[in-house]
Amino acid sequence: MLERRLERRERFFAFAGALIDEISKLDPNYTLVQRLQSDLKQEREWSAATQGRIGEEWRKRVELEKKLGLRKY
């Protein structure tokens, strides 16, 4: 499930990046393009940070389950 979410997120970022590239070709208003690029960058950073926090919580959970004998590996 997590892998599927990560794949969808990466596809979204690829789509958004391609869309911004196309807009920059069509629209001479670079302020709009810069804003879109900035928003996409912020979203990627937020997503990476969230993914890191989820991963850390998952590792803590696994370690606790191992200590309690609920997980063998």
Side-chain angles (χ1 to χ4, degrees):
M1 179 109 162
L2 179 60
E3 292 171 0
R4 198 165 99 201
R5 276 191 245 154
L6 294 175
E7 180 184 333
R8 283 193 316 230
R9 187 176 299 143
E10 286 304 313
R11 287 189 356 229
F12 168 76
F13 288 145
F15 170 77
L19 180 62
I20 290 170
D21 290 343
E22 289 302 313
I23 289 172
S24 68
K25 292 176 189 174
L26 299 173
D27 189 353
N29 182 358
Y30 294 110
T31 304
L32 174 65
V33 173
Q34 290 170 347
R35 174 67 190 269
L36 290 171
Q37 289 170 331
S38 174
D39 289 351
L40 181 59
K41 181 182 177 195
Q42 288 176 356
E43 180 60 29
R44 281 185 172 154
E45 290 170 354
W46 179 83
S47 178
T50 300
Q51 183 179 348
R53 285 191 304 271
I54 290 171
E56 184 60 32
E57 290 299 318
W58 178 259
R59 284 187 288 281
K60 287 178 185 177
R61 177 180 171 191
V62 167
E63 289 302 314
L64 181 59
E65 288 176 353
K66 284 179 185 177
K67 288 178 182 178
L68 294 173
L70 299 173
R71 198 178 270 264
K72 293 182 181 180
Y73 50 92

